[in-house]
Coordinates of all heavy atoms in Angstrom, one line a residue:
M25 N 174.5 165.7 -109.8 CA 173.5 166.7 -109.5 C 174.0 168.1 -109.9 O 175.2 168.2 -110.0 CB 173.2 166.5 -107.9 CG 172.0 167.4 -107.5 SD 170.6 166.6 -107.9 CE 169.5 167.8 -107.3
T26 N 173.1 168.9 -110.0 CA 173.4 170.2 -110.4 C 173.9 171.0 -109.1 O 173.7 170.7 -108.1 CB 172.3 171.0 -111.2 OG1 171.2 171.1 -110.3 CG2 172.0 170.2 -112.4
E27 N 174.4 172.4 -109.5 CA 174.6 173.2 -108.3 C 173.4 173.5 -107.4 O 172.4 173.5 -108.0 CB 175.3 174.6 -108.9 CG 176.6 174.4 -109.6 CD 177.7 173.8 -108.6 OE1 177.8 174.4 -107.6 OE2 178.4 172.9 -109.1
P28 N 173.6 173.8 -106.2 CA 172.5 174.0 -105.3 C 171.4 175.2 -105.8 O 170.4 175.0 -105.5 CB 173.1 174.4 -104.0 CG 174.5 173.9 -104.0 CD 174.9 173.9 -105.5
Q29 N 172.0 176.1 -106.5 CA 171.2 177.1 -106.9 C 170.3 176.8 -108.2 O 169.5 177.6 -108.6 CB 171.9 178.5 -107.1 CG 172.9 178.5 -108.2 CD 174.2 178.1 -107.9 OE1 174.5 177.4 -106.9 NE2 175.2 178.4 -108.6
H30 N 170.5 175.6 -108.7 CA 169.8 175.1 -109.9 C 168.7 174.2 -109.6 O 168.8 173.5 -108.6 CB 170.8 174.5 -110.8 CG 171.8 175.6 -111.3 ND1 173.1 175.3 -111.3 CD2 171.7 176.7 -112.0 CE1 173.8 176.3 -111.8 NE2 172.9 177.1 -112.3
T31 N 167.7 174.1 -110.4 CA 166.7 173.1 -110.2 C 166.7 172.3 -111.4 O 166.8 172.7 -112.6 CB 165.4 173.8 -110.2 OG1 165.2 174.6 -109.0 CG2 164.2 172.8 -110.0
F32 N 166.7 170.9 -111.2 CA 166.7 170.0 -112.4 C 165.4 169.4 -112.5 O 164.7 169.0 -111.5 CB 167.7 168.9 -112.1 CG 167.8 167.9 -113.1 CD1 168.3 168.1 -114.4 CD2 167.2 166.7 -113.0 CE1 168.3 167.2 -115.4 CE2 167.1 165.7 -114.0 CZ 167.8 166.0 -115.2
L33 N 164.9 169.3 -113.6 CA 163.4 168.8 -114.0 C 163.6 167.8 -115.2 O 164.2 168.3 -116.2 CB 162.4 169.9 -114.2 CG 161.1 169.3 -114.8 CD1 160.5 168.6 -113.7 CD2 160.3 170.5 -115.2
N34 N 163.3 166.5 -115.0 CA 163.3 165.7 -116.1 C 161.8 165.5 -116.5 O 161.1 164.8 -115.9 CB 163.8 164.3 -115.6 CG 163.9 163.4 -116.9 OD1 163.2 163.4 -117.8 ND2 164.9 162.4 -116.8
P35 N 161.5 166.2 -117.6 CA 160.0 166.3 -118.0 C 159.6 164.8 -118.4 O 158.4 164.4 -118.4 CB 159.9 167.2 -119.2 CG 161.3 167.9 -119.3 CD 162.2 167.2 -118.4
D36 N 160.5 163.9 -118.9 CA 160.1 162.7 -119.3 C 159.8 161.7 -118.2 O 159.1 160.7 -118.4 CB 161.3 162.1 -120.2 CG 161.5 162.8 -121.5 OD1 160.5 163.4 -122.0 OD2 162.6 162.9 -122.1
L37 N 160.3 162.1 -117.0 CA 159.8 161.3 -115.8 C 158.6 161.9 -115.1 O 157.7 161.3 -114.6 CB 161.0 161.2 -114.9 CG 162.2 160.3 -115.5 CD1 163.3 160.3 -114.4 CD2 161.7 159.0 -115.8
A38 N 158.8 163.3 -115.1 CA 157.7 164.1 -114.2 C 156.3 164.0 -115.0 O 155.3 163.8 -114.2 CB 158.1 165.5 -114.1
R39 N 156.2 164.1 -116.2 CA 154.9 164.2 -116.9 C 154.1 162.8 -116.7 O 153.0 162.7 -116.2 CB 155.0 164.4 -118.4 CG 155.0 165.8 -118.7 CD 154.8 165.9 -120.4 NE 155.4 167.1 -120.7 CZ 156.5 167.4 -121.3 NH1 157.4 166.4 -121.5 NH2 156.9 168.8 -121.6
P40 N 154.8 161.6 -116.9 CA 154.2 160.4 -116.7 C 153.8 160.2 -115.2 O 152.7 159.5 -114.8 CB 155.2 159.2 -117.1 CG 156.1 159.9 -118.1 CD 156.1 161.3 -117.6
A41 N 154.6 160.7 -114.3 CA 154.3 160.6 -112.8 C 153.0 161.4 -112.6 O 152.1 161.0 -111.8 CB 155.5 161.1 -112.0
G42 N 152.9 162.6 -113.2 CA 151.6 163.4 -113.0 C 150.5 162.7 -113.5 O 149.3 162.7 -112.9
N43 N 150.7 162.1 -114.7 CA 149.5 161.4 -115.3 C 149.2 160.2 -114.5 O 147.9 159.8 -114.4 CB 149.9 161.0 -116.9 CG 149.9 162.2 -117.7 OD1 149.2 163.1 -117.6 ND2 150.7 162.1 -118.8
A44 N 150.1 159.4 -114.0 CA 149.8 158.2 -113.1 C 149.0 158.7 -111.9 O 148.1 158.0 -111.5 CB 151.1 157.6 -112.8
L45 N 149.5 159.8 -111.3 CA 148.7 160.4 -110.1 C 147.3 160.7 -110.5 O 146.4 160.4 -109.8 CB 149.5 161.6 -109.6 CG 148.9 162.1 -108.3 CD1 148.9 161.2 -107.2 CD2 149.6 163.4 -108.0
G46 N 147.1 161.3 -111.8 CA 145.8 161.5 -112.2 C 145.0 160.4 -112.3 O 143.8 160.3 -112.0
A47 N 145.6 159.4 -113.0 CA 144.7 158.1 -113.1 C 144.4 157.4 -111.8 O 143.3 156.9 -111.6 CB 145.7 157.0 -113.9
A48 N 145.4 157.4 -110.8 CA 145.1 157.0 -109.4 C 143.9 157.8 -108.9 O 143.1 157.1 -108.2 CB 146.4 157.0 -108.7
A49 N 143.9 159.0 -109.0 CA 142.9 159.9 -108.4 C 141.5 159.5 -109.1 O 140.5 159.5 -108.4 CB 143.2 161.4 -108.7
E50 N 141.5 159.3 -110.4 CA 140.3 158.9 -111.1 C 139.8 157.6 -110.4 O 138.5 157.4 -110.2 CB 140.5 158.7 -112.6 CG 140.6 160.0 -113.2 CD 140.8 159.7 -114.8 OE1 140.5 158.7 -115.3 OE2 141.4 160.7 -115.5
T51 N 140.6 156.6 -110.2 CA 140.2 155.3 -109.6 C 139.7 155.6 -108.2 O 138.7 155.0 -107.8 CB 141.4 154.4 -109.6 OG1 141.8 154.1 -110.9 CG2 141.1 153.0 -108.9
L52 N 140.4 156.3 -107.4 CA 139.9 156.7 -106.1 C 138.6 157.4 -106.1 O 137.7 157.1 -105.2 CB 141.1 157.5 -105.3 CG 140.8 158.0 -103.9 CD1 140.6 156.7 -103.0 CD2 141.8 158.9 -103.4
A53 N 138.5 158.3 -107.0 CA 137.2 159.1 -107.1 C 136.0 158.2 -107.3 O 134.9 158.3 -106.8 CB 137.3 160.1 -108.1
A54 N 136.2 157.2 -108.2 CA 135.2 156.2 -108.7 C 134.9 155.3 -107.3 O 133.6 155.1 -107.1 CB 135.6 155.4 -109.8
E55 N 135.8 154.9 -106.6 CA 135.6 154.1 -105.5 C 134.9 155.0 -104.4 O 133.9 154.4 -103.7 CB 136.9 153.4 -104.9 CG 136.7 152.5 -103.8 CD 135.9 151.3 -104.1 OE1 135.7 151.0 -105.3 OE2 135.4 150.7 -103.2
W56 N 135.3 156.1 -104.2 CA 134.7 157.0 -103.2 C 133.2 157.2 -103.5 O 132.3 157.3 -102.7 CB 135.4 158.5 -103.2 CG 134.8 159.3 -102.1 CD1 134.2 160.5 -102.4 CD2 134.9 159.2 -100.7 NE1 133.7 161.2 -101.3 CE2 134.1 160.3 -100.2 CE3 135.3 158.3 -99.8 CZ2 133.9 160.5 -98.8 CZ3 135.0 158.4 -98.4 CH2 134.4 159.6 -98.0
S57 N 132.9 157.5 -104.8 CA 131.6 157.6 -105.3 C 130.8 156.4 -104.9 O 129.6 156.5 -104.5 CB 131.5 158.0 -106.7 OG 130.2 158.0 -107.2
R58 N 131.3 155.3 -105.2 CA 130.5 154.0 -104.8 C 130.3 153.9 -103.3 O 129.1 153.6 -103.0 CB 131.4 152.8 -105.3 CG 130.7 151.4 -105.1 CD 131.5 150.2 -105.3 NE 132.6 150.1 -104.4 CZ 132.4 149.7 -103.1 NH1 131.2 149.4 -102.8 NH2 133.4 149.7 -102.3
V59 N 131.2 154.2 -102.6 CA 131.1 154.1 -101.1 C 130.1 155.1 -100.6 O 129.2 154.8 -99.8 CB 132.6 154.3 -100.3 CG1 132.4 154.6 -98.9 CG2 133.4 153.2 -100.6
T60 N 130.3 156.4 -101.1 CA 129.3 157.4 -100.6 C 127.8 157.1 -101.1 O 126.9 157.3 -100.3 CB 129.6 158.9 -101.0 OG1 129.7 158.9 -102.4 CG2 131.0 159.2 -100.5
S61 N 127.7 156.5 -102.2 CA 126.4 156.1 -102.8 C 125.8 155.0 -101.8 O 124.6 155.1 -101.5 CB 126.4 155.6 -104.2 OG 126.7 156.6 -105.0
T62 N 126.7 154.1 -101.5 CA 126.1 153.0 -100.5 C 125.7 153.6 -99.1 O 124.7 153.2 -98.7 CB 127.3 151.9 -100.3 OG1 127.6 151.4 -101.6 CG2 126.9 150.8 -99.4
I63 N 126.6 154.4 -98.6 CA 126.2 155.1 -97.3 C 124.8 155.8 -97.4 O 124.0 155.6 -96.6 CB 127.3 156.0 -96.9 CG1 128.6 155.2 -96.5 CG2 126.9 157.0 -95.7 CD1 129.8 156.1 -96.3
R64 N 124.7 156.6 -98.4 CA 123.4 157.4 -98.6 C 122.2 156.4 -98.8 O 121.2 156.6 -98.3 CB 123.5 158.3 -99.8 CG 124.5 159.4 -99.5 CD 124.7 160.5 -100.6 NE 125.8 161.4 -100.4 CZ 125.9 162.4 -99.6 NH1 124.9 162.6 -98.7 NH2 127.0 163.1 -99.5
A65 N 122.4 155.3 -99.6 CA 121.4 154.4 -99.8 C 121.0 153.7 -98.5 O 119.8 153.4 -98.2 CB 121.7 153.3 -100.8
L66 N 122.0 153.2 -97.7 CA 121.7 152.6 -96.5 C 121.0 153.6 -95.5 O 120.1 153.2 -94.8 CB 123.0 152.1 -95.8 CG 123.6 150.9 -96.6 CD1 125.0 150.7 -96.0 CD2 122.8 149.7 -96.4
N67 N 121.4 154.9 -95.5 CA 120.8 155.9 -94.7 C 119.4 156.1 -95.1 O 118.4 156.1 -94.2 CB 121.5 157.2 -94.7 CG 121.0 158.1 -93.6 OD1 121.2 157.8 -92.5 ND2 120.5 159.2 -94.1
E68 N 119.1 156.1 -96.3 CA 117.6 156.3 -96.9 C 116.8 155.1 -96.4 O 115.5 155.2 -96.2 CB 117.6 156.6 -98.4 CG 118.2 157.7 -98.8 CD 118.2 157.9 -100.3 OE1 117.7 157.1 -101.0 OE2 118.9 158.9 -100.8
A69 N 117.3 154.0 -96.1 CA 116.6 152.9 -95.7 C 116.1 152.9 -94.2 O 115.5 152.0 -93.8 CB 117.3 151.5 -96.0
R70 N 116.6 153.9 -93.6 CA 116.3 154.2 -92.2 C 116.6 153.1 -91.3 O 115.8 152.6 -90.6 CB 114.8 154.5 -92.1 CG 114.3 155.7 -92.9 CD 114.1 156.9 -92.1 NE 113.5 157.9 -92.9 CZ 114.1 159.1 -93.0 NH1 115.2 159.3 -92.2 NH2 113.7 160.0 -93.7
P71 N 117.9 152.7 -91.3 CA 118.4 151.5 -90.4 C 118.2 151.7 -88.9 O 118.1 150.7 -88.2 CB 119.8 151.4 -90.8 CG 120.2 152.7 -91.1 CD 119.0 153.3 -91.9
W72 N 118.0 152.9 -88.5 CA 117.8 153.2 -87.0 C 116.2 153.2 -86.7 O 115.9 153.5 -85.6 CB 118.4 154.5 -86.7 CG 119.8 154.5 -87.0 CD1 120.8 153.9 -86.2 CD2 120.5 155.0 -88.1 NE1 121.9 154.0 -86.8 CE2 121.9 154.7 -88.0 CE3 120.1 155.6 -89.2 CZ2 122.8 155.2 -88.9 CZ3 121.0 156.0 -90.2 CH2 122.4 155.8 -90.0
G73 N 115.4 152.9 -87.6 CA 114.0 152.8 -87.4 C 113.2 154.1 -87.8 O 114.0 155.2 -88.1
D74 N 112.0 154.1 -88.0 CA 111.2 155.2 -88.4 C 110.3 155.9 -87.2 O 109.5 156.6 -87.4 CB 110.4 154.9 -89.5 CG 109.9 156.1 -90.4 OD1 110.8 156.9 -90.4 OD2 108.9 156.1 -91.0
D75 N 110.8 155.4 -86.0 CA 110.1 156.0 -84.8 C 110.8 157.2 -84.4 O 111.7 157.8 -85.1 CB 110.1 154.9 -83.7 CG 111.5 154.6 -83.2 OD1 112.5 155.1 -83.9 OD2 111.7 153.8 -82.2
E76 N 110.3 157.9 -83.5 CA 110.9 159.2 -83.2 C 112.4 159.2 -82.8 O 113.1 160.0 -83.2 CB 110.1 159.8 -82.0 CG 110.5 161.2 -81.6 CD 109.8 161.8 -80.4 OE1 108.6 161.4 -80.1 OE2 110.3 162.7 -79.8
A77 N 112.8 158.2 -82.1 CA 114.2 158.0 -81.8 C 115.0 157.8 -83.0 O 116.1 158.5 -83.2 CB 114.4 157.0 -80.8
G78 N 114.6 157.1 -83.9 CA 115.2 156.7 -85.2 C 115.2 157.9 -86.1 O 116.3 158.3 -86.7
R79 N 114.2 158.7 -86.2 CA 114.2 159.9 -87.0 C 115.1 161.0 -86.5 O 115.9 161.6 -87.1 CB 112.7 160.4 -87.1 CG 111.9 159.6 -88.1 CD 110.6 160.3 -88.3 NE 109.8 160.6 -87.1 CZ 108.9 159.8 -86.6 NH1 108.8 158.7 -87.1 NH2 108.3 160.1 -85.5
T80 N 115.1 161.0 -85.1 CA 116.0 162.1 -84.5 C 117.4 161.7 -84.7 O 118.2 162.6 -85.0 CB 115.7 162.2 -83.0 OG1 114.2 162.5 -82.8 CG2 116.5 163.0 -82.2
F81 N 117.8 160.4 -84.6 CA 119.2 160.1 -84.8 C 119.5 160.3 -86.2 O 120.6 160.9 -86.5 CB 119.3 158.5 -84.5 CG 120.8 158.1 -84.8 CD1 121.7 158.2 -83.8 CD2 121.1 157.5 -85.9 CE1 123.0 157.9 -84.0 CE2 122.5 157.2 -86.2 CZ 123.4 157.3 -85.3
N82 N 118.7 159.9 -87.1 CA 119.0 160.2 -88.6 C 119.2 161.6 -88.9 O 120.0 162.0 -89.6 CB 117.9 159.5 -89.4 CG 118.2 159.5 -90.9 OD1 119.3 159.1 -91.3 ND2 117.2 160.2 -91.7
E83 N 118.4 162.5 -88.3 CA 118.5 163.9 -88.5 C 119.9 164.5 -88.2 O 120.4 165.3 -88.8 CB 117.3 164.7 -87.9 CG 116.1 164.5 -88.5 CD 114.8 165.1 -87.7 OE1 115.2 165.9 -86.8 OE2 113.7 164.8 -88.1
H84 N 120.4 163.9 -87.0 CA 121.5 164.4 -86.4 C 122.7 163.7 -87.1 O 123.9 164.3 -87.0 CB 121.5 164.2 -85.0 CG 120.7 165.2 -84.1 ND1 119.4 164.8 -83.9 CD2 120.8 166.4 -83.9 CE1 118.8 165.8 -83.3 NE2 119.7 166.8 -83.2
Y85 N 122.6 162.6 -87.6 CA 123.6 161.8 -88.2 C 124.1 162.3 -89.6 O 125.2 162.5 -89.9 CB 123.3 160.3 -88.2 CG 124.3 159.4 -88.9 CD1 125.6 159.2 -88.3 CD2 124.2 158.9 -90.2 CE1 126.5 158.4 -88.9 CE2 125.1 158.1 -90.7 CZ 126.2 157.8 -90.1 OH 127.2 157.0 -90.7
L86 N 123.0 162.4 -90.4 CA 123.4 162.7 -91.9 C 122.5 163.9 -92.4 O 123.0 164.8 -93.0 CB 123.1 161.5 -92.8 CG 123.4 161.7 -94.2 CD1 124.9 162.0 -94.4 CD2 123.0 160.5 -95.1
D87 N 121.3 164.0 -92.0 CA 120.5 165.0 -92.5 C 120.4 166.3 -91.7 O 119.5 167.1 -91.8 CB 119.0 164.5 -92.7 CG 119.0 163.4 -93.7 OD1 119.8 163.3 -94.5 OD2 118.1 162.4 -93.6
G88 N 121.2 166.4 -90.6 CA 121.0 167.6 -89.7 C 121.8 168.7 -90.1 O 122.4 169.4 -89.2
G89 N 121.9 169.1 -91.4 CA 122.5 170.2 -91.9 C 124.0 170.1 -91.8 O 124.6 169.0 -91.9
D90 N 124.7 171.2 -92.0 CA 126.2 171.2 -92.3 C 127.0 170.6 -91.2 O 128.1 170.3 -91.3 CB 126.7 172.6 -92.5 CG 126.2 173.2 -93.9 OD1 125.8 172.3 -94.8 OD2 126.1 174.4 -94.0
E91 N 126.4 170.5 -89.9 CA 127.2 170.0 -88.8 C 127.0 168.6 -88.6 O 127.7 168.0 -87.6 CB 126.8 170.8 -87.6 CG 127.0 172.3 -87.7 CD 128.4 172.6 -87.7 OE1 129.4 172.0 -87.1 OE2 128.8 173.6 -88.5
A92 N 126.1 167.8 -89.3 CA 125.9 166.5 -89.1 C 127.2 165.6 -89.3 O 127.8 165.8 -90.3 CB 124.8 166.0 -90.1
P93 N 127.5 164.7 -88.3 CA 128.9 164.1 -88.5 C 129.1 163.3 -89.8 O 130.1 163.5 -90.4 CB 128.8 163.1 -87.3 CG 127.8 163.6 -86.4 CD 126.8 164.3 -87.3
A94 N 128.1 162.5 -90.4 CA 128.3 161.9 -91.6 C 128.4 162.9 -92.7 O 129.3 162.7 -93.7 CB 127.1 160.9 -91.9
K95 N 127.7 163.9 -92.7 CA 127.8 165.0 -93.8 C 129.2 165.6 -93.8 O 129.8 165.8 -94.9 CB 126.6 166.0 -93.6 CG 126.7 167.0 -94.8 CD 125.6 168.0 -94.8 CE 125.6 169.0 -95.9 NZ 126.7 169.1 -96.8
V96 N 129.6 166.0 -92.6 CA 131.0 166.5 -92.5 C 132.0 165.6 -93.0 O 132.9 166.0 -93.8 CB 131.3 167.0 -91.0 CG1 132.7 167.2 -90.8 CG2 130.4 168.1 -90.6
T97 N 131.8 164.3 -92.8 CA 132.8 163.3 -93.2 C 132.8 163.1 -94.7 O 133.8 163.1 -95.5 CB 132.6 162.0 -92.4 OG1 132.8 162.2 -91.2 CG2 133.6 160.9 -92.9
L98 N 131.5 163.0 -95.2 CA 131.4 162.9 -96.7 C 131.8 164.1 -97.4 O 132.6 163.9 -98.5 CB 130.0 162.5 -97.0 CG 129.5 161.1 -96.4 CD1 128.0 161.0 -96.7 CD2 130.2 160.0 -97.1
D99 N 131.4 165.3 -97.0 CA 131.9 166.5 -97.6 C 133.5 166.6 -97.6 O 134.0 167.0 -98.6 CB 131.4 167.7 -97.0 CG 129.8 167.8 -97.2 OD1 129.3 167.1 -98.1 OD2 129.2 168.7 -96.6
A100 N 134.1 166.3 -96.4 CA 135.6 166.3 -96.4 C 136.3 165.4 -97.3 O 137.2 165.7 -98.0 CB 136.0 166.1 -94.9
G101 N 135.6 164.2 -97.4 CA 136.1 163.3 -98.5 C 136.0 163.8 -99.9 O 136.9 163.6 -100.7
D102 N 134.9 164.4 -100.2 CA 134.7 165.0 -101.5 C 135.8 165.9 -101.8 O 136.3 166.0 -102.9 CB 133.3 165.6 -101.6 CG 132.2 164.6 -101.6 OD1 132.4 163.3 -101.9 OD2 131.0 165.0 -101.4
D103 N 136.0 166.8 -100.8 CA 137.1 167.9 -101.0 C 138.4 167.3 -101.2 O 139.2 167.8 -102.0 CB 137.1 168.9 -99.8 CG 135.8 169.7 -99.7 OD1 135.0 169.8 -100.6 OD2 135.6 170.2 -98.6
L104 N 138.8 166.2 -100.4 CA 140.0 165.6 -100.6 C 140.2 164.9 -101.9 O 141.3 165.1 -102.6 CB 140.3 164.6 -99.4 CG 141.5 163.8 -99.4 CD1 142.7 164.7 -99.2 CD2 141.5 162.7 -98.4
I105 N 139.2 164.3 -102.4 CA 139.2 163.6 -103.7 C 139.4 164.7 -104.8 O 140.2 164.6 -105.7 CB 137.9 162.9 -103.9 CG1 137.8 161.6 -103.0 CG2 137.9 162.3 -105.4 CD1 138.9 160.7 -103.0
A106 N 138.8 165.8 -104.7 CA 138.8 166.9 -105.7 C 140.2 167.4 -105.7 O 140.9 167.6 -106.8 CB 137.8 167.9 -105.4
A107 N 140.8 167.6 -104.5 CA 142.2 168.2 -104.5 C 143.2 167.1 -105.1 O 144.0 167.5 -105.8 CB 142.6 168.5 -103.1
F108 N 143.0 165.8 -104.8 CA 143.8 164.7 -105.4 C 143.7 164.7 -106.8 O 144.7 164.6 -107.4 CB 143.4 163.4 -104.6 CG 144.4 162.3 -104.9 CD1 145.7 162.5 -104.7 CD2 144.0 161.2 -105.3 CE1 146.7 161.4 -104.9 CE2 144.8 160.1 -105.5 CZ 146.0 160.2 -105.4
E109 N 142.5 164.9 -107.3 CA 142.3 164.8 -108.7 C 143.0 166.0 -109.4 O 143.7 165.9 -110.5 CB 140.8 164.9 -109.1 CG 140.1 163.6 -108.8 CD 138.5 163.7 -109.2 OE1 137.9 164.5 -108.7 OE2 138.1 162.8 -109.9
D110 N 143.0 167.1 -108.8 CA 143.5 168.3 -109.4 C 145.1 168.2 -109.4 O 145.8 168.9 -110.2 CB 143.0 169.5 -108.6 CG 143.5 170.8 -109.3 OD1 143.2 171.0 -110.5 OD2 144.0 171.7 -108.7
T111 N 145.7 167.5 -108.5 CA 147.1 167.6 -108.2 C 147.9 166.9 -109.6 O 148.8 167.5 -110.0 CB 147.6 166.7 -107.0 OG1 146.9 167.4 -105.9 CG2 149.0 166.8 -106.8
G112 N 147.4 165.8 -110.0 CA 148.0 165.2 -111.2 C 148.0 166.2 -112.4 O 149.0 166.4 -113.1
L113 N 146.9 166.9 -112.7 CA 146.7 167.9 -113.7 C 147.7 169.1 -113.5 O 148.4 169.4 -114.4 CB 145.3 168.4 -113.8 CG 144.2 167.4 -114.1 CD1 142.9 168.0 -114.0 CD2 144.4 166.9 -115.6
R114 N 147.9 169.5 -112.2 CA 148.8 170.6 -111.9 C 150.3 170.3 -112.1 O 151.0 171.0 -112.6 CB 148.5 171.1 -110.5 CG 147.3 171.9 -110.4 CD 147.1 172.3 -108.9 NE 145.9 173.1 -108.7 CZ 145.7 174.4 -108.8 NH1 146.8 175.1 -109.0 NH2 144.5 174.9 -108.5
I115 N 150.5 169.0 -111.8 CA 151.9 168.6 -112.0 C 152.3 168.5 -113.4 O 153.4 169.1 -113.9 CB 152.1 167.1 -111.5 CG1 152.2 167.2 -110.0 CG2 153.4 166.5 -112.0 CD1 152.1 165.8 -109.3
V116 N 151.4 168.0 -114.3 CA 151.8 168.0 -115.8 C 151.8 169.4 -116.3 O 152.6 169.7 -117.1 CB 150.5 167.1 -116.5 CG1 150.8 167.2 -118.1 CG2 150.7 165.7 -116.1
S117 N 150.8 170.2 -115.8 CA 150.8 171.6 -116.3 C 152.1 172.4 -115.9 O 152.7 173.1 -116.7 CB 149.5 172.3 -115.8 OG 149.4 173.6 -116.1
S118 N 152.4 172.1 -114.6 CA 153.7 172.8 -114.2 C 154.9 172.3 -115.0 O 155.7 173.1 -115.2 CB 153.8 172.4 -112.7 OG 152.8 173.0 -111.9
V119 N 155.0 171.1 -115.3 CA 156.1 170.6 -116.0 C 156.1 171.2 -117.4 O 157.2 171.8 -117.9 CB 156.0 169.0 -116.2 CG1 157.1 168.6 -117.3 CG2 156.3 168.4 -114.9
D120 N 155.0 171.2 -118.1 CA 155.0 171.8 -119.3 C 155.3 173.4 -119.4 O 155.9 173.9 -120.2 CB 153.5 171.6 -119.9 CG 153.2 170.2 -120.3 OD1 154.2 169.4 -120.6 OD2 152.0 169.8 -120.5
G121 N 154.7 174.1 -118.3 CA 155.1 175.4 -118.2 C 156.5 175.7 -117.8 O 157.1 176.7 -118.5
T122 N 157.1 174.8 -117.2 CA 158.4 175.0 -116.8 C 159.4 174.8 -118.0 O 160.3 175.6 -118.3 CB 158.9 174.0 -115.7 OG1 158.3 174.3 -114.5 CG2 160.4 174.1 -115.4
V123 N 159.1 173.7 -118.9 CA 159.7 173.6 -120.1 C 159.6 174.7 -121.1 O 160.6 175.1 -121.6 CB 159.3 172.1 -120.7 CG1 159.9 172.0 -122.1 CG2 159.7 171.0 -119.9
D124 N 158.4 175.1 -121.1 CA 158.1 176.2 -122.1 C 158.9 177.6 -121.6 O 159.5 178.2 -122.4 CB 156.6 176.6 -122.2 CG 155.8 175.6 -122.9 OD1 156.4 174.7 -123.6 OD2 154.6 175.6 -122.8
D125 N 158.8 177.8 -120.3 CA 159.6 178.9 -119.8 C 161.1 179.0 -120.0 O 161.8 179.8 -120.4 CB 159.3 179.2 -118.3 CG 157.8 179.7 -118.1 OD1 157.2 180.0 -119.0 OD2 157.4 179.7 -116.9
D126 N 161.5 177.7 -119.7 CA 163.0 177.4 -119.9 C 163.4 177.6 -121.3 O 164.5 178.3 -121.5 CB 163.3 176.1 -119.3 CG 164.8 175.9 -119.2 OD1 165.5 176.7 -118.6 OD2 165.3 174.9 -119.8
G127 N 162.6 177.2 -122.1 CA 162.9 177.4 -123.6 C 162.9 178.8 -124.0 O 163.7 179.3 -124.8
A128 N 161.9 179.5 -123.5 CA 161.8 180.9 -123.8 C 162.9 181.8 -123.4 O 163.5 182.6 -124.0 CB 160.5 181.6 -123.3
V129 N 163.4 181.5 -122.1 CA 164.5 182.1 -121.5 C 165.8 181.8 -122.4 O 166.6 182.7 -122.7 CB 164.8 181.7 -120.0 CG1 166.1 182.2 -119.5 CG2 163.6 182.2 -119.2
G130 N 166.0 180.6 -122.8 CA 167.1 180.1 -123.5 C 167.0 180.8 -124.8 O 168.1 181.3 -125.4
D131 N 165.9 181.0 -125.5 CA 165.7 181.8 -126.8 C 166.1 183.2 -126.6 O 166.6 183.8 -127.4 CB 164.3 181.5 -127.3 CG 164.0 180.2 -127.8 OD1 164.9 179.4 -127.9 OD2 162.8 179.9 -128.1
S132 N 165.7 183.7 -125.5 CA 165.9 185.2 -125.3 C 167.5 185.5 -125.1 O 167.8 186.6 -125.5 CB 165.2 185.6 -123.9 OG 163.8 185.6 -124.1
F133 N 168.2 184.5 -124.5 CA 169.6 184.7 -124.4 C 170.4 184.0 -125.5 O 171.6 183.9 -125.4 CB 170.0 184.3 -123.0 CG 169.5 185.1 -121.9 CD1 168.4 184.7 -121.2 CD2 170.1 186.3 -121.6 CE1 167.9 185.6 -120.2 CE2 169.7 187.1 -120.7 CZ 168.4 186.8 -119.9
G134 N 169.7 183.6 -126.6 CA 170.4 183.0 -127.7 C 170.8 181.5 -127.5 O 171.7 181.1 -128.3
G135 N 170.4 181.0 -126.5 CA 170.7 179.6 -126.2 C 169.9 178.6 -126.9 O 170.3 177.4 -127.1
G136 N 168.8 178.9 -127.5 CA 167.9 178.1 -128.1 C 167.3 177.0 -127.1 O 167.4 177.1 -126.0
R137 N 166.6 176.0 -127.7 CA 166.1 174.9 -126.9 C 167.0 173.8 -126.8 O 167.2 172.8 -127.2 CB 164.7 174.6 -127.4 CG 163.7 175.8 -127.2 CD 162.3 175.5 -127.5 NE 161.6 176.7 -127.4 CZ 160.5 177.0 -126.7 NH1 160.0 175.9 -126.0 NH2 160.0 178.0 -126.6

């Protein structure tokens, strides 16, 4: 290991890990999309009935605006998936940026790459 004040980065390991995370995020996003589509389709079928009580429940469950429990859950899931998808890209970008910066610093001080 290097000295405590140094950071070690193996780009040949970090890039594929970031790409693997991105691929996993794509798979998760596709599955999440399938699940949310199913939930919405089931809700549109009015499983609680089309009488006054059923309509009231449906309005409060999914269609009741930003505070509806199902909408809050689905929106939070969408946000989580988006963050997860972005993480793999950020890892790869960070690795590339770090390698480029390290090379530029080395060039500035005559160390080369």
